Amino acid sequence: MFHVKLPGHDAIARQADEHLVTHRVKLPRKVVERPIRQVVKRLVMALVVLVVTALIVYADRDGYTDNSDGSVDLLDAFYYATVTLSTTGYGDITPVSDGARLTNIFLITPLRVLFLIILVGTTLEVLTERTREEWRLNRWRATLRDHTVVIGFGTKGRSAIQTVCATGLKKEQVVVVDPSSKVVDAATAEGYAGIVGDATRSDVLKRAEVHKARQIIIAPQRDDTSVLVTLTARQLNRGAKIVAAVREEENAPLLKQSGADAVITSASAAGRLLGLSVLSPAAGMVMEDLIQQGSGLDLIERPVVKAEVGKTPRQTDDLVVSVVRGHRVLGYDDPSVGTLQLTDRLITIVRATPAPQIAPDIRPMPRA
């Protein structure tokens, strides 16, 4: 089982922790009580059972005898309850009357069983939980392949995986890697498997089974981290599709040289959208609508159907933007496209919802 320690607040603590930190795989699970809270609750329940047993014995103290002095006081009652519930049974305090013996049969014995269930059950539950978690982890590793690994579960990583899952990818086929334990907890709460660790380290990526992944989405907060992660991921998996995000456009060539199949520049893309919105608010709104997944207009890629073979892109029912032929992406008006082939794929614009789009300059103003 893998454990993790959070880094300290100063450099010395961080350096010391680096030698102790391992990387923990977190699988999606139901929300349960914290283990410490469960143990405390069980202990409180055991103490309640102990007190109830002692009070029962003290209330019927005339039916008991103490070999030392013959009488049973409150302390003797607690002593008897303790040794009885723990099945120790020294025999120095014993029930002698019929009523005390009946009380032992119908009350003390069930309380003794309940007391043992509470204490022993806690230990068994912890051991069972550990065994079950270890079994789930081993089974997860054995069955995980052709999955998607997301490096960084911030705004970019979260939006990227939501878009991919909207096309049919199961959440069980997604593994999130992030250095923040809170971020990974948020990912597992949404149904994804998560790993806490530095993705620039090959051992962390190996725990995410990167070498068996089909596609890798790299969206950390820093561009240098993107480059290092891309280099490491490409070294571990030569055939996976790697898509990476950078803030600055000048770093995009470095990522492509590092092995990324596609590089998205977030800063320049946001800047172009801002500029387009200034020049044409309606055009900016359409572009923003295309970027948002699941509402308004969506940009999708689909195969050519048999009924479209032999037609030009403009003769199809959908609004075709580009044609993917082999490893080339051709514009809809490219003369080399000619007619569509069965092996082609179309990038089209479709409407996800029937709601009409209202341009910003004609939207009704809110009333004061």
Side-chain angles (χ1 to χ4, degrees):
M1 189 170 183
F2 308 105
H3 301 280
V4 63
K5 290 180 179 294
L6 294 179
H9 296 287
D10 51 28
I12 297 177
R14 284 196 297 268
Q15 292 176 357
D17 286 343
E18 287 179 356
H19 300 285
L20 301 175
V21 174
T22 54
H23 312 284
R24 181 182 180 184
V25 179
K26 296 184 178 181
L27 300 180
R29 57 183 300 176
K30 297 180 180 180
V31 178
V32 296
E33 282 188 306
R34 296 178 179 177
I36 296 179
R37 183 176 298 178
Q38 290 184 354
V39 173
V40 171
K41 181 184 292 186
R42 297 292 178 88
L43 289 176
V44 172
M45 293 173 61
L47 290 176
V48 170
V49 173
L50 178 62
V51 171
V52 170
T53 305
L55 293 178
I56 292 175
V57 173
Y58 183 71
D60 193 24
R61 57 188 178 276
D62 294 336
Y64 292 81
T65 181
D66 187 352
N67 294 335
S68 61
D69 56 9
S71 62
V72 176
D73 56 13
L74 184 60
L75 178 60
D76 293 333
F78 273 94
Y79 168 75
Y80 175 78
T82 302
V83 297
T84 301
L85 294 181
S86 62
T87 67
T88 304
Y90 293 114
D92 48 355
I93 300 178
T94 56
V96 293
S97 68
D98 293 340
R101 291 177 177 177
L102 288 175
T103 301
N104 266 263
I105 295 175
F106 295 107
L107 290 180
I108 304 301
T109 300
L111 287 173
R112 180 188 300 117
V113 175
L114 179 61
F115 184 84
L116 293 176
I117 289 176
I118 292 174
L119 293 186
V120 179
T122 301
T123 304
L124 293 177
E125 182 177 351
V126 171
L127 294 176
T128 303
E129 179 66 23
R130 289 182 179 178
T131 303
R132 182 167 55 246
E133 191 67 22
E134 189 70 21
W135 180 83
R136 287 186 64 204
L137 182 59
N138 293 333
R139 183 175 179 273
W140 173 78
R141 290 189 183 280
T143 59
L144 190 66
R145 57 178 51 86
D146 293 333
H147 57 289
T148 299
V149 178
V150 182
I151 310 298
F153 200 64
T155 303
K156 292 178 292 185
R158 188 189 300 265
S159 299
I161 201 58
Q162 287 176 350
T163 301
V164 176
C165 289
T167 62
L169 179 68
K170 296 181 180 180
K171 292 185 177 182
E172 294 80 6
Q173 288 295 105
V174 177
V175 180
V176 174
V177 181
D178 198 279
S180 173
S181 179
K182 292 182 179 180
V183 172
V184 172
D185 288 340
T188 56
E190 295 185 21
Y192 310 115
I195 296 178
V196 180
D198 183 2
T200 60
R201 297 168 58 94
S202 59
D203 57 338
V204 177
L205 294 182
K206 288 179 181 178
R207 297 198 187 280
E209 304 292 328
V210 165
H211 55 285
K212 297 190 297 184
R214 174 179 295 180
Q215 49 200 10
I216 304 171
I217 299 174
I218 301 175
Q221 299 296 327
R222 295 168 55 92
D223 287 0
D224 54 351
T225 303
S226 295
V227 175
L228 290 175
V229 173
T230 302
L231 281 169
T232 308
R234 181 54 73 195
Q235 183 180 14
L236 294 174
N237 192 329
R238 298 290 182 181
K241 182 178 181 180
I242 299 179
V243 179
V246 291
R247 292 178 179 271
E248 303 297 332
E249 192 169 3
E250 62 183 9
N251 295 325
L254 292 175
L255 273 168
K256 291 183 178 179
Q257 294 175 8
S258 301
D261 297 299
V263 180
I264 307 300
T265 308
S266 58
S268 62
R272 292 191 187 98
L273 183 58
L274 288 172
L276 182 61
S277 298
V278 171
L279 297 175
S280 173
M285 183 197 69
V286 173
M287 287 299 299
E288 185 179 2
D289 194 6
L290 286 172
I291 294 175
Q292 294 178 352
Q293 173 70 25
S295 63
L297 301 175
D298 274 348
L299 195 65
I300 66 169
E301 180 180 340
R302 67 170 179 84
V304 173
V305 298
K306 292 184 178 180
E308 296 171 334
V309 176
K311 295 182 179 180
T312 64
R314 293 185 177 183
Q315 291 176 331
T316 61
D317 295 334
D318 293 337
L319 181 58
V320 178
V321 177
S322 299
V323 178
V324 181
R325 180 167 294 171
H327 297 286
R328 297 184 301 165
V329 180
L330 307 173
Y332 71 95
D333 56 350
D334 194 320
S336 61
V337 173
T339 58
L340 298 176
Q341 303 173 10
L342 190 60
T343 56
D344 292 340
R345 297 185 66 85
L346 303 179
I347 298 178
T348 65
I349 295 178
V350 298
R351 178 167 294 282
T353 58
Q357 300 297 305
I358 303 176
D361 54 346
I362 63 174
R363 287 175 179 169
M365 297 296 292
R367 296 181 180 180

